[in-house]
Amino acid sequence: RRSRAAYLAGKLWIVTGAGFYVYDGTAAHRASQNAYIPTTVITRGPTGGGQSYEAVNLLSGKQKVGFLADGTSTEYVLPYQDITSVDAVEVNGETLTEGFTADLTAGKVTFTTAPAKPDAGAEDNVHITFTKTVEGYTDRIGRCRTAVVWGIGGASDRIIATGNPDYPNEDFICGYLDGTYWPDNSYAIVGTDETAIVGYRRMGEYLAIIKEDNGQDSTVFLRSGAINSDGEPEFTVKPCLSGAGGVTHFGFGNIGDEQLILTGNGVYALTTTASIRS
């Protein structure tokens, strides 16, 4: 199938419907090969607890957990059972190759010698990287067929991807300036699932989301973004217009300031006054 691409952080990110690729000017490969590894839990005790930190990456089952050693425990319990692998174990910044065993079924690592307790006020001193594969996660991005670069305030620092036939009215947002990180909680359900998202148009600080037309639902939604009080990005989607809808992922363009959409009734323009005209 015909592919689409978006340019972000000096690389070309390619959606094909059968895999998500990145091209750095020299070679292309699946973005999942070097996907960002999120630290999902921090300040965790050897037996559990801790604070959620980063979301799981849809592109990869790998994640890292930070523990605060207590100086006596040898068993360190991960947040999941039935994990695929333990990929790295670090104690006080040193990567260990021995001195521990991993129980994948129970989801725990047992040290031969208990890691020492860190000094008062110190950060996590035991880090365990492991893989927990979630079926279908990678395909959520891999089966997308169109993408656009956009960001809060009209910036160009995130990729928005859509076109997955299993999630026709959903789109996914990557991490800040990082096409290898797609948080599993960074997505939006746009209108009814009876009509698919077919493309996007940038409208100043907003992103217009164009859907198919079924004769009754909104066909244009507006996305806006802001940084909340915790310093985290928040995105809001609201319905804007009903009427003409898009008919193909490739039916978009612009002439000057005119944002053009190919509809079932011809070419229409989306204007900054929140209207569509032929």
Side-chain angles (χ1 to χ4, degrees):
R1 291 178 176 178
R2 184 179 172 186
S3 62
R4 297 292 299 272
Y7 185 80
L8 178 72
K11 298 177 182 179
L12 199 65
W13 306 87
I14 307 166
V15 288
T16 69
F20 179 56
Y21 294 83
V22 56
Y23 176 68
D24 61 6
T26 302
H29 57 81
R30 287 185 182 268
S32 58
Q33 290 181 8
N34 297 305
Y36 176 73
I37 301 173
T39 299
T40 53
V41 180
I42 59 175
T43 64
R44 184 174 174 88
T47 60
Q51 177 182 342
S52 296
Y53 187 57
E54 295 179 310
V56 171
N57 189 354
L58 289 174
L59 286 191
S60 171
K62 284 189 177 182
Q63 53 184 288
K64 182 186 290 187
V65 172
F67 293 85
L68 277 171
D70 59 13
T72 58
S73 297
T74 57
E75 288 190 354
Y76 280 67
V77 181
L78 296 168
Y80 303 99
Q81 296 179 336
D82 297 319
I83 62 176
T84 305
S85 61
V86 170
D87 306 302
V89 177
E90 302 173 45
V91 177
N92 295 319
E94 178 185 356
T95 300
L96 304 184
T97 57
E98 58 183 6
F100 68 90
T101 58
D103 184 335
L104 304 184
T105 301
K108 67 181 181 180
V109 170
T110 302
F111 293 93
T112 304
T113 302
K117 185 177 181 179
D119 296 333
E123 298 179 348
D124 297 344
N125 65 327
V126 175
H127 293 87
I128 300 175
T129 301
F130 65 97
T131 298
K132 171 71 174 178
T133 303
V134 179
E135 185 177 358
Y137 258 24
T138 302
D139 282 344
R140 292 193 187 184
I141 307 303
R143 298 195 69 193
C144 286
R145 297 192 58 209
T146 192
V148 67
V149 174
W150 180 77
I152 294 172
S156 298
D157 52 27
R158 287 178 169 85
I159 302 170
I160 320 291
T162 193
N164 186 328
D166 295 329
Y167 303 90
N169 64 324
E170 295 186 29
D171 61 9
F172 306 90
I173 306 173
C174 81
Y176 178 72
L177 290 174
D178 189 355
T180 72
Y181 182 36
W182 295 79
D184 67 350
N185 60 2
S186 187
Y187 68 95
I189 298 174
V190 183
T192 174
D193 60 5
E194 294 180 359
T195 55
I197 301 171
V198 291
Y200 303 93
R201 292 286 84 192
R202 294 181 60 142
M203 306 288 293
E205 65 180 291
Y206 298 99
L207 182 68
I209 305 168
I210 316 301
K211 298 192 67 182
E212 298 169 327
D213 181 17
N214 65 357
Q216 58 184 5
D217 298 314
S218 294
T219 54
V220 179
F221 292 74
L222 284 182
R223 170 177 280 120
S224 59
I227 300 296
N228 64 24
S229 58
D230 295 325
E232 297 296 326
E234 286 187 349
F235 301 98
T236 302
V237 174
K238 61 181 181 180
C240 177
L241 294 170
S242 299
V247 293
T248 172
H249 294 300
F250 304 97
F252 299 88
N254 64 283
I255 299 176
D257 292 334
E258 297 278 12
Q259 300 290 343
L260 306 179
I261 306 168
L262 179 63
T263 77
N265 295 317
V267 176
Y268 280 64
L270 183 64
T271 75
T272 55
T273 56
S275 63
I276 292 181
R277 57 184 175 80
S278 59

